[in-house]
Amino acid sequence: MRRPVFYLLLACLAGPAHAALSYRVDIEAPDALKPLLADNLELVTLAKDPEMDEGTLAALLEETPAAARRLLETAGYFGAEVQVRRDGDSVRVDVRPGEPVRIDRWQVHYQGAIAGDAAALAAVQGELSGQWPLADGAVFTQEGWDDAKKLALQLIAVGAYPLAKIASAEAKIDPATHGAALTVTIDSGEHVDFGRIRVEGLKRYPEKVVTGQADFQRGSAYSLEKLTAFQSALEADPHFSSAIVVPLKNEVADGRMPILVRVVELPRQKAELGLKWDSEQGPGTRIGYEHYNIFRRGYVGSILFDWNRDESSLNFGLALPRTRDGYSHTANVALKKSEVQGVERDSVEGGVWRLRQRGDIEARIGVEYVLDRETVGGVEDKRNQAVFATVGWTQRKLDDVLDPRNGYLLDGRLSSTLGSALSDTAFVRGRARAALYWSPSFFPGTWLMRGDVGEVWAQQTASVPSSLLFRAGGAGSVRGYEYESLGVAGPGGAVEGGRVLATGSLQYMFTVRPGWRLALFHDLGDAADSWDSYRARKSYGFGVEWLSPVAPISFDIARGESEQKWRWTMSLGLPF
Amino acid sequence: MTEPTLPSPGDTPTTEPAARPPKRRRWRIVLLAGVALLASLVGSLAWLTGSEAGFARLWQLAARASGGALSVARVEGTLWRGFTLEDARWQQPLQRFEVSRLMLAWQPRALWQGELKVDRLSVGSVLVDDRTPASGKPTAAPTSLALPLDVEVARLSVDAVVLAGPKLTFQQIAGSYRYQSGFHTVALERFVAPWGEAAGALALGGAAPFALSGRVDLKGELEGHSVRAQTDVGGTLVAPTLKANAVSAGVLIDVDGRFAPFAPVLFRKVDALTVRMAGVDPARLMPGAPAARISLAIEAKPEGDGLQGGLSLINTAAGAVSAGKLPLKLAVAAFRVDDDRLVLSDAFADLGSGRLTFAGDFNPRTFDLRVGVDQLALKGIEPAAPALTVSGNARLAGPKLAPTLSLALAAGGNRLTGEALWQRSGAAALDIRTLALVAGAGSVSLGGRLGLTGELPLALKGSLAAFDPARVSPSLPAGRIDGKLDVDARLADGSAGRFAFSLAPSTLSGAPLSGYACARWQGVEVDGVDVRLALGGNRLSATGAWGEPGDRLSLTLAADQLELLGPAFGGRANAALQLAGTPRAPLFTLRADAADLRLPGEVSVASLAARGELASGAGTPFELALKVAGARAGDARVETLTLAAAGTRGRHTLALTGKLSLAERPYAVQANLAGGLSDAYLWQGTLSRLQLDGAPSLVLLQPVLLTAGADEVRLGGGRWQALGADWRLDNSGWRRSDGWYSAGSVRGLGADAVQPFVDKLPVATDLSIGGEWSLRGQGALPQGSVRFVRESGDVTLPLKGGGTRPLGLSALEAALRLDGGSAALNARLQSALGSASGDANLRALGGAFGAASPLSGRVALALPDLSLAQPWLAIGQRVAGKLDATLNLAGTLGEPQLSGPLRAANLAFTDRLAGVALQDGTLDAVFAGRTLTLQRLSFGRDDSVSASGSVSLAGARPTADIAVRFNRFVALSRPGMRVVVSGQTTLALGEDAVSVDGMLKVDRARLDFPKLGAPALGPDVVVVGRPKREDGETTLPFALNVGVDLGDKVRFSGKGLTTGLTGQLRLIAKPGAPLSVFGVVDTEEGRFKAYGQDLDIDKGQIVFNGPPDNPGLAIRALRRNSPVGAGVEVTGSVLYPKVALISDEPMPEKERFSWLVLGRGTGGGSQDNAALAASAGSFLAGALNDQIGLFDDIGLTSTEEKTLSNGTVSPAEQVVTLGRQLTQSLYLGYEYGITSASQAVKVVYRLSKGWSVQAKAGTTVDVETRYTVRFD
């Protein structure tokens, strides 16, 4: 919420020992400038102080016009008139900001090695003119100027010129003509490639576990993005409790910058033992074991056994660390057995995956095996078995993962059995998801459009493993309906998965204060057995989104049109 | 009067023995007369030495006896009780001594013990001017220096001693003297010479061989570096030894020698000597000397009967003479002294561009010095010199009284040879036997004789044969000149003589040159002038005589080809002059014009025309007209200048107009005079107009009378306008008999008056000053008075925040009275701020004012209300109080002595914005000599700050030593900051810098986290019309070494941080360097609230190791009750902090964060999402908790769909959790299912790090225990 009231009613917080001096400050200024003054003028910020006395207040009143002018200059107002009047316990600050200083011209010069690289220079200049925050005619602000300098530097420093620095910068302000001329000269330093990766802190695991996570080779052009990705990959790696990746800028030799990786290892094995008692399920146990250095090659293997009266499961997993070429492999097998009202249900799920992550694109190829078997009284009632290959492809291209304003997310997944071989029925499953963020330059706020379409083509729908069918509803789907409550109605009010799925959403978000956004949205969609029986459900709602340092957290309240009921949901992170 | 009469040196002789007694009565009469005489003698002696009046009379008698040589202005006291003499002088034709004051206090009683005991001998300024020529005889060693009685002068001081001959001034001489057991001892406490200060002690035996010992320490400055030197003197007076060494940055001097000061020959005065110097620059030692960097070694030691030694000199900064450098690179010499003979051998000097060799043999009768010049390129010595390389030799040899100088030098194709005899005895003369310059085929030769005594007769004959001037210097024209010169003259007492010069047919610059010139002269009279010179088309001819009545001299110049004279000449000049009459009444006709004239020395004239005629006596008309246009010489330029005079000699007018510029400043001048020259050759008339436009300008407002003659110049009274003011000049002028005189007054002299001389005044002022003067003088010091008074106006000072405000000046007055021997200044200033008044009297010493001139006077300063200075202080600052000072002046002008109190009361200074408040201040200080003793400076009712110490102004720079004590002093007090300190610091102002040392302890402090991040313009933002801001670290102007003990009552809070601070810091700075801080500050019972958690600061160290704004950080804050020790660690520095999450055991970052915020791990489950949810939830919890502070845990989890064995389905749903870690091991939580609205209460009890028990009660109840272990 925008700060609604800019006069501060400040009561004395001090104890009775202090001679209380209470005063109120009214700032009469254009709304855009009020927060700047209210947050930074000592007259305002010290008003709460219990030790404020008449003498100090008098000095502050005297100083305020000059202090206010200094603050206004950082917002581009170099000819502001400020008057301070005190009337009893009320202080009035009258600000007439005058004409702001606008940018007349700006220039960014690049010198150093980049000057010889015409293509890179042209690309940088193109990006500069697109992103420069203080374009011609814009109002000069100190913040914009700082951003502009940072941008001019970052554009090449994140690439092959990490040693770049600002050689000189000058913002020449002419208060008489209300014009500003900006000149920045960046010294790119030499062209830098990645050098050797030096790893410190390894005792247990092979070095490949670390180096394999890097998306670059010795000799490939330096990129900060790749370095950051390397850092986050290592942080997420189960072998290490922490990892720091340091580019050794002082040790650049022959145009190559060595990279230092400092890791703290976790012990090689982990065991977990759990005992459990539940009033409904009775006693249970959970035993897990993980080993992080199988074959001394850093492979991670895990076994998890979970048992209770009704249900038991056994999971095996094996993950091979990512290799230099960007591929990683995983395999897992899960056996599950449950008994509900005499129906014994066994399932086996297993798969082998080959994953590749490169830049913002993630690709997967895998072969999976699914077996569902139901036995009633020792007689096999139902048996669905499928062996199918899956190809998946995801791209996340956003300007800022934590605060997306522009960009898109794409995800496609296609699975197919190999005819009827080893499967009860031949089927093909496809699903495509897309989300688009758009912040128009002519209108405040951000638009989010989301779509999700999926279908399973099968000879016999009933023989398709139920985990491959679709359900909708809830966060990330159609809000205003319960989580996964949209699908095909099953026995006993249960909701079963459908063969087709289509959902869509249109959402408008605007920032109310840094880190917080309000959203208005309209969702629609459904999952059904066939397109004929498909009937899209609609909902409207509004929500609050908090851009936490980890991921955006949304709290939404929506009303499903068919159920006429307000429901709330919480969701975390990006749509997918 | 009861003092015993004693004989004293110089007193009248004692009574003669009584005459023989011829007869009894007569004997009685004689006896009576003798007794009466004796009594009256004793009585008058007692009166003369024992009473003030008598003692004064004694000096008058002495003055009379000296024949006017001695004079004493004032005498106080008596011989026995001690006395003071003022202004004592001794004046003889070639000697002059002046003593401004002499004060003697002694103990006559001690004479009974055979001792002369002087308590104090204090002498003011002394002038010594002794021009007695030296006798020339070597000084002989004294036979005895013993004194008849012991002497002790306990305290001897001399303000200043001025040696008028070498113009040296020694100041502040203080010490003591003693003669005891046959030894003279002098202890010198202080002795200030122009080149430094000395202190030391010397002892000298009274009997031969006068054992000598002592040590003097010198302290001075050389090349901007302080120098310290030690000199040890030993041996005897007949054969003293000297050991000295001086060290300074880059300069090292080491002298060790034994001398024989009474030896008859100069070079025998050294017995042995070693001198080593390095890095010496003569320019620093002697103004005007060339710059160099010289290392010098001189070694002389006895060898056989004689003394043998060598000298070597290296100059590492050799350079051209015109650049003020010494062209010498290396010089080496070896010498030997045998008996009275000095032999110099193997000596040479390397000048870089050539070499000089020396050899010599000197004894008291003959000497022989040979100098060889070896390939010396003159350009190497001086770039402006002609490009010649000189070789050859020169020799000065022969008997000491008639040496012969011979010379044979060659350069290029030119040779210079010569021989001259220098007759030094009898009729001294220089007899030039030959001096010849042979340049290629041509030559110039000269011979003659110059008498060096009497009339200085000169006889010179010379000839030129086919001489080509261009061979000597390329700037001279080429030619071939043949000619002869014959001069016969006497140079002394109004020279007279004749000269004849004739040229055979020659050429110059390719044009024919011919002619002759001859003349005789006596003083200014000439006769027999006959000049006829022709160079190409240029002609110069003169004939006739001038000086006697009836003589006539005519001169004609027709030069249309001046360029023939050389490259520096050009243009045309024609003139015709007829001169008649006598020097006292010349008659002339002149006609001259010139165009495009160029002369050497960058002088040029575009056009010049002069016409003049003065035909005959006083009544005849004359005319004079001069017109110059476009003339230029150096930076003086004349655009036009016209001078016209017409009338008769007795009555004429003169007009001058011109436009010129001097040093780029344009001026226009106009002057008109009317008057005439009387028969007594006194010009009398009127200056009717004088106007000088420009800066400064000068306008005569009314005609004034002007009289000018050889014995008198007088300007009548008149009104003038200059420097923007009206001046009234009364009779002023100069008379040969009694010097110059001037009187006048000025009104309305404003600040613009200084505009032509000063670019911009530092203050704005509309001050208008009036004044009057009346001065006259002859020779050295003027007499009279000058007085200046403010008429109106004020001085406006700029205010700190912009704008200006007048000072409120109500009176400003200064009067100076000069009476030839002294100057008295009386000044008074009264402004709104305060007033100052003073008078000073300065007495001349030796007829001039100088550093040693005695000074006396009084200065009073009163600032009754300092708060009136309020407008000039910065915002938020207040000052109050009053200040008074009454000081007496004494001493000399160079070393004034002050005495008197300086008092201030009710002092207060507050700066609200900085939080400084000093109240109830008192200052008590006393000036004594040149020291200000701070008896008391304190602030606060209970003296919370007090200072004492002294400030000395004695040295070249003031020094001070002040102790400041703090006693529960509120150093800072403003919202958010309150610091109370105790302790003591000393403030010392040394020779180099101010230094502050000390130790402070913080009694109590409360500091709030400073507000950060207020936007401010960056240093690279340049605003047109504002001064560019200085970028860089702020440096301190003084040295600082202060320890600060934070004590145990410093609280720091803000931004979620609350902590006590303890530790010790040391603040160190050197002048001109930024402040450095060293030390470690520890946190004490610190708590940090972050992510909604109270984190206990387990370890908190702020390590200062230099920059005050960027200390190193070592802070570890742990979550209270965290089983895994989760927390935050901050390392790095304040500007570059590194924040890391920590835990006791290794775990991934997200896990740590979860432990930190939620007090539990992320748990198992589908890894990433859960971790993400946990950490996002942690952030949300943290953000909310900072506001609410109720829950540690606000989270979101999702449960999977479950079908229970009874067939009921528990659908998948999102669950919100709230919880709080109650103790280290107990967690209480609440879960709410979003969809099912199911609720559950969760209790987690942690048995150990990896083992926990969890119970959940809602619609169902479950209990779970889990044990996790990681191992290798």
Side-chain angles (χ1 to χ4, degrees), chain B residues 396-416:
Chain B
L396 184 66
K400 191 177 175 182
L401 294 177
T404 306
L405 172 71
S406 55
L407 199 66
L409 298 172
N414 304 338
R415 275 184 298 115
L416 180 70

PDB file of all heavy atoms in Angstrom, chain B residues 396-416:
ATOM      1  N   LEU B 396      99.597  33.296 -14.450  1.00  0.00           N
ATOM      2  CA  LEU B 396      99.829  34.477 -13.639  1.00  0.00           C
ATOM      3  C   LEU B 396     101.053  34.131 -12.804  1.00  0.00           C
ATOM      4  O   LEU B 396     101.007  33.249 -11.951  1.00  0.00           O
ATOM      5  CB  LEU B 396      98.630  34.767 -12.746  1.00  0.00           C
ATOM      6  CG  LEU B 396      98.682  36.025 -11.909  1.00  0.00           C
ATOM      7  CD1 LEU B 396      98.669  37.273 -12.791  1.00  0.00           C
ATOM      8  CD2 LEU B 396      97.524  36.087 -10.936  1.00  0.00           C
ATOM      9  N   ALA B 397     102.156  34.802 -13.104  1.00  0.00           N
ATOM     10  CA  ALA B 397     103.392  34.386 -12.445  1.00  0.00           C
ATOM     11  C   ALA B 397     104.310  35.573 -12.252  1.00  0.00           C
ATOM     12  O   ALA B 397     104.125  36.627 -12.859  1.00  0.00           O
ATOM     13  CB  ALA B 397     104.097  33.329 -13.300  1.00  0.00           C
ATOM     14  N   GLY B 398     105.257  35.380 -11.379  1.00  0.00           N
ATOM     15  CA  GLY B 398     106.241  36.416 -11.169  1.00  0.00           C
ATOM     16  C   GLY B 398     106.334  36.809  -9.723  1.00  0.00           C
ATOM     17  O   GLY B 398     105.721  36.169  -8.854  1.00  0.00           O
ATOM     18  N   PRO B 399     107.070  37.879  -9.436  1.00  0.00           N
ATOM     19  CA  PRO B 399     107.161  38.359  -8.061  1.00  0.00           C
ATOM     20  C   PRO B 399     105.788  38.766  -7.578  1.00  0.00           C
ATOM     21  O   PRO B 399     104.939  39.180  -8.364  1.00  0.00           O
ATOM     22  CB  PRO B 399     108.098  39.564  -8.156  1.00  0.00           C
ATOM     23  CG  PRO B 399     108.699  39.504  -9.497  1.00  0.00           C
ATOM     24  CD  PRO B 399     107.851  38.695 -10.377  1.00  0.00           C
ATOM     25  N   LYS B 400     105.625  38.666  -6.299  1.00  0.00           N
ATOM     26  CA  LYS B 400     104.308  38.940  -5.726  1.00  0.00           C
ATOM     27  C   LYS B 400     103.864  40.365  -6.024  1.00  0.00           C
ATOM     28  O   LYS B 400     102.675  40.623  -6.216  1.00  0.00           O
ATOM     29  CB  LYS B 400     104.386  38.731  -4.214  1.00  0.00           C
ATOM     30  CG  LYS B 400     103.049  38.713  -3.532  1.00  0.00           C
ATOM     31  CD  LYS B 400     103.228  38.426  -2.069  1.00  0.00           C
ATOM     32  CE  LYS B 400     101.911  38.513  -1.327  1.00  0.00           C
ATOM     33  NZ  LYS B 400     102.103  38.281   0.102  1.00  0.00           N
ATOM     34  N   LEU B 401     104.793  41.290  -6.104  1.00  0.00           N
ATOM     35  CA  LEU B 401     104.408  42.688  -6.299  1.00  0.00           C
ATOM     36  C   LEU B 401     104.374  43.080  -7.763  1.00  0.00           C
ATOM     37  O   LEU B 401     103.984  44.197  -8.095  1.00  0.00           O
ATOM     38  CB  LEU B 401     105.365  43.604  -5.533  1.00  0.00           C
ATOM     39  CG  LEU B 401     105.251  43.421  -4.015  1.00  0.00           C
ATOM     40  CD1 LEU B 401     106.266  44.291  -3.298  1.00  0.00           C
ATOM     41  CD2 LEU B 401     103.849  43.755  -3.543  1.00  0.00           C
ATOM     42  N   ALA B 402     104.799  42.222  -8.671  1.00  0.00           N
ATOM     43  CA  ALA B 402     104.729  42.569 -10.086  1.00  0.00           C
ATOM     44  C   ALA B 402     104.521  41.318 -10.922  1.00  0.00           C
ATOM     45  O   ALA B 402     105.384  40.909 -11.687  1.00  0.00           O
ATOM     46  CB  ALA B 402     106.013  43.299 -10.521  1.00  0.00           C
ATOM     47  N   PRO B 403     103.380  40.695 -10.766  1.00  0.00           N
ATOM     48  CA  PRO B 403     103.170  39.476 -11.537  1.00  0.00           C
ATOM     49  C   PRO B 403     102.818  39.783 -12.996  1.00  0.00           C
ATOM     50  O   PRO B 403     102.347  40.885 -13.302  1.00  0.00           O
ATOM     51  CB  PRO B 403     102.002  38.823 -10.831  1.00  0.00           C
ATOM     52  CG  PRO B 403     101.248  39.938 -10.217  1.00  0.00           C
ATOM     53  CD  PRO B 403     102.263  41.011  -9.897  1.00  0.00           C
ATOM     54  N   THR B 404     103.079  38.802 -13.804  1.00  0.00           N
ATOM     55  CA  THR B 404     102.776  38.938 -15.227  1.00  0.00           C
ATOM     56  C   THR B 404     101.647  37.981 -15.549  1.00  0.00           C
ATOM     57  O   THR B 404     101.671  36.818 -15.139  1.00  0.00           O
ATOM     58  CB  THR B 404     104.008  38.575 -16.054  1.00  0.00           C
ATOM     59  OG1 THR B 404     105.082  39.361 -15.587  1.00  0.00           O
ATOM     60  CG2 THR B 404     103.780  38.824 -17.530  1.00  0.00           C
ATOM     61  N   LEU B 405     100.669  38.511 -16.271  1.00  0.00           N
ATOM     62  CA  LEU B 405      99.557  37.665 -16.713  1.00  0.00           C
ATOM     63  C   LEU B 405      99.770  37.393 -18.183  1.00  0.00           C
ATOM     64  O   LEU B 405      99.918  38.327 -18.976  1.00  0.00           O
ATOM     65  CB  LEU B 405      98.229  38.399 -16.494  1.00  0.00           C
ATOM     66  CG  LEU B 405      97.001  37.742 -17.079  1.00  0.00           C
ATOM     67  CD1 LEU B 405      96.653  36.489 -16.287  1.00  0.00           C
ATOM     68  CD2 LEU B 405      95.821  38.692 -17.097  1.00  0.00           C
ATOM     69  N   SER B 406      99.833  36.123 -18.556  1.00  0.00           N
ATOM     70  CA  SER B 406      99.933  35.828 -19.980  1.00  0.00           C
ATOM     71  C   SER B 406      98.824  34.863 -20.358  1.00  0.00           C
ATOM     72  O   SER B 406      98.360  34.068 -19.536  1.00  0.00           O
ATOM     73  CB  SER B 406     101.300  35.264 -20.308  1.00  0.00           C
ATOM     74  OG  SER B 406     101.554  34.148 -19.494  1.00  0.00           O
ATOM     75  N   LEU B 407      98.413  34.973 -21.586  1.00  0.00           N
ATOM     76  CA  LEU B 407      97.172  34.347 -22.012  1.00  0.00           C
ATOM     77  C   LEU B 407      97.389  33.810 -23.410  1.00  0.00           C
ATOM     78  O   LEU B 407      97.969  34.501 -24.261  1.00  0.00           O
ATOM     79  CB  LEU B 407      96.112  35.456 -22.047  1.00  0.00           C
ATOM     80  CG  LEU B 407      94.668  35.121 -22.035  1.00  0.00           C
ATOM     81  CD1 LEU B 407      94.327  34.489 -20.702  1.00  0.00           C
ATOM     82  CD2 LEU B 407      93.866  36.411 -22.201  1.00  0.00           C
ATOM     83  N   ALA B 408      97.005  32.593 -23.697  1.00  0.00           N
ATOM     84  CA  ALA B 408      97.043  32.081 -25.068  1.00  0.00           C
ATOM     85  C   ALA B 408      95.889  31.116 -25.204  1.00  0.00           C
ATOM     86  O   ALA B 408      95.931  29.997 -24.697  1.00  0.00           O
ATOM     87  CB  ALA B 408      98.369  31.382 -25.337  1.00  0.00           C
ATOM     88  N   LEU B 409      94.818  31.620 -25.827  1.00  0.00           N
ATOM     89  CA  LEU B 409      93.629  30.803 -25.962  1.00  0.00           C
ATOM     90  C   LEU B 409      93.272  30.708 -27.437  1.00  0.00           C
ATOM     91  O   LEU B 409      93.492  31.650 -28.193  1.00  0.00           O
ATOM     92  CB  LEU B 409      92.447  31.429 -25.215  1.00  0.00           C
ATOM     93  CG  LEU B 409      92.609  31.578 -23.709  1.00  0.00           C
ATOM     94  CD1 LEU B 409      91.455  32.377 -23.148  1.00  0.00           C
ATOM     95  CD2 LEU B 409      92.665  30.210 -23.042  1.00  0.00           C
ATOM     96  N   ALA B 410      92.715  29.562 -27.821  1.00  0.00           N
ATOM     97  CA  ALA B 410      92.297  29.400 -29.203  1.00  0.00           C
ATOM     98  C   ALA B 410      90.913  28.819 -29.209  1.00  0.00           C
ATOM     99  O   ALA B 410      90.576  27.968 -28.382  1.00  0.00           O
ATOM    100  CB  ALA B 410      93.265  28.468 -29.932  1.00  0.00           C
ATOM    101  N   ALA B 411      90.074  29.329 -30.118  1.00  0.00           N
ATOM    102  CA  ALA B 411      88.731  28.813 -30.263  1.00  0.00           C
ATOM    103  C   ALA B 411      88.381  28.867 -31.735  1.00  0.00           C
ATOM    104  O   ALA B 411      88.427  29.931 -32.342  1.00  0.00           O
ATOM    105  CB  ALA B 411      87.740  29.640 -29.465  1.00  0.00           C
ATOM    106  N   GLY B 412      88.020  27.722 -32.278  1.00  0.00           N
ATOM    107  CA  GLY B 412      87.757  27.666 -33.715  1.00  0.00           C
ATOM    108  C   GLY B 412      88.993  28.146 -34.448  1.00  0.00           C
ATOM    109  O   GLY B 412      90.102  27.716 -34.194  1.00  0.00           O
ATOM    110  N   GLY B 413      88.840  29.108 -35.318  1.00  0.00           N
ATOM    111  CA  GLY B 413      90.002  29.646 -36.009  1.00  0.00           C
ATOM    112  C   GLY B 413      90.543  30.886 -35.330  1.00  0.00           C
ATOM    113  O   GLY B 413      91.386  31.586 -35.880  1.00  0.00           O
ATOM    114  N   ASN B 414      90.003  31.222 -34.127  1.00  0.00           N
ATOM    115  CA  ASN B 414      90.402  32.452 -33.463  1.00  0.00           C
ATOM    116  C   ASN B 414      91.405  32.158 -32.362  1.00  0.00           C
ATOM    117  O   ASN B 414      91.325  31.140 -31.688  1.00  0.00           O
ATOM    118  CB  ASN B 414      89.180  33.127 -32.829  1.00  0.00           C
ATOM    119  CG  ASN B 414      88.101  33.372 -33.849  1.00  0.00           C
ATOM    120  OD1 ASN B 414      88.368  33.424 -35.033  1.00  0.00           O
ATOM    121  ND2 ASN B 414      86.872  33.506 -33.388  1.00  0.00           N
ATOM    122  N   ARG B 415      92.317  33.077 -32.199  1.00  0.00           N
ATOM    123  CA  ARG B 415      93.283  32.920 -31.126  1.00  0.00           C
ATOM    124  C   ARG B 415      93.348  34.213 -30.349  1.00  0.00           C
ATOM    125  O   ARG B 415      93.340  35.304 -30.932  1.00  0.00           O
ATOM    126  CB  ARG B 415      94.657  32.583 -31.690  1.00  0.00           C
ATOM    127  CG  ARG B 415      94.833  31.088 -31.955  1.00  0.00           C
ATOM    128  CD  ARG B 415      96.228  30.762 -32.417  1.00  0.00           C
ATOM    129  NE  ARG B 415      96.537  31.414 -33.680  1.00  0.00           N
ATOM    130  CZ  ARG B 415      97.477  32.351 -33.826  1.00  0.00           C
ATOM    131  NH1 ARG B 415      98.188  32.726 -32.779  1.00  0.00           N
ATOM    132  NH2 ARG B 415      97.720  32.904 -34.996  1.00  0.00           N
ATOM    133  N   LEU B 416      93.401  34.104 -29.052  1.00  0.00           N
ATOM    134  CA  LEU B 416      93.537  35.282 -28.199  1.00  0.00           C
ATOM    135  C   LEU B 416      94.844  35.117 -27.444  1.00  0.00           C
ATOM    136  O   LEU B 416      95.038  34.131 -26.738  1.00  0.00           O
ATOM    137  CB  LEU B 416      92.364  35.362 -27.217  1.00  0.00           C
ATOM    138  CG  LEU B 416      92.369  36.534 -26.254  1.00  0.00           C
ATOM    139  CD1 LEU B 416      92.098  37.834 -26.998  1.00  0.00           C
ATOM    140  CD2 LEU B 416      91.331  36.348 -25.161  1.00  0.00           C
TER     141      LEU B 416
END
